[in-house]
Amino acid sequence: MALSYTSRRRLALLILVVGLPAYIIVAVKVVSLFERPSILVELGVYVGLGVLWAFPLKSVFRGIGQADPDAAPKPSDDPR
C-alpha cells in the first residue's frame, strides 16, 4: 500500500521531530556502553550511524519538498 503525499509528509515530520532525536539518544547510549575508542573510530561510528538511519526511510522522504502532485493545478496569473 502506497502512502499518499500528505501521509508521507506527516510521517516524515514525525520521524524528524520524534524519531531522529530518539535514534540519536539510543546511538549515544549504545556507543557509551563500550570502552572509549580513538577519536577517529568514534567519529566513524557516529558518521556511519548518521547515514544509516536514512536508507530504510528513503521512500518516505522522496519528493517531500516538492509541490503536492495530487493537488489541483492553480490557475495561472499569466493573462495570455
Side-chain angles (χ1 to χ4, degrees):
M1 181 175 120
L3 292 172
S4 69
Y5 176 79
T6 306
S7 298
R8 285 189 305 122
R9 196 166 174 159
R10 289 180 182 157
L11 182 59
L13 181 63
L14 180 69
I15 289 168
L16 289 176
V17 171
V18 176
L20 191 57
Y23 179 78
I24 292 169
I25 292 169
V26 169
V28 169
K29 290 291 184 184
V30 168
V31 172
S32 71
L33 293 176
F34 302 106
E35 184 178 328
R36 184 156 187 171
S38 71
I39 191 72
L40 292 177
V41 172
E42 191 172 358
L43 178 67
V45 168
Y46 284 127
V47 168
L49 290 173
V51 173
L52 185 66
W53 71 271
F55 287 118
L57 302 171
K58 190 180 348 180
S59 62
V60 173
F61 290 106
R62 183 171 283 135
I64 291 298
Q66 299 177 1
D68 186 356
D70 300 329
K74 294 181 182 179
S76 177
D77 291 335
D78 193 10
R80 290 190 230 179

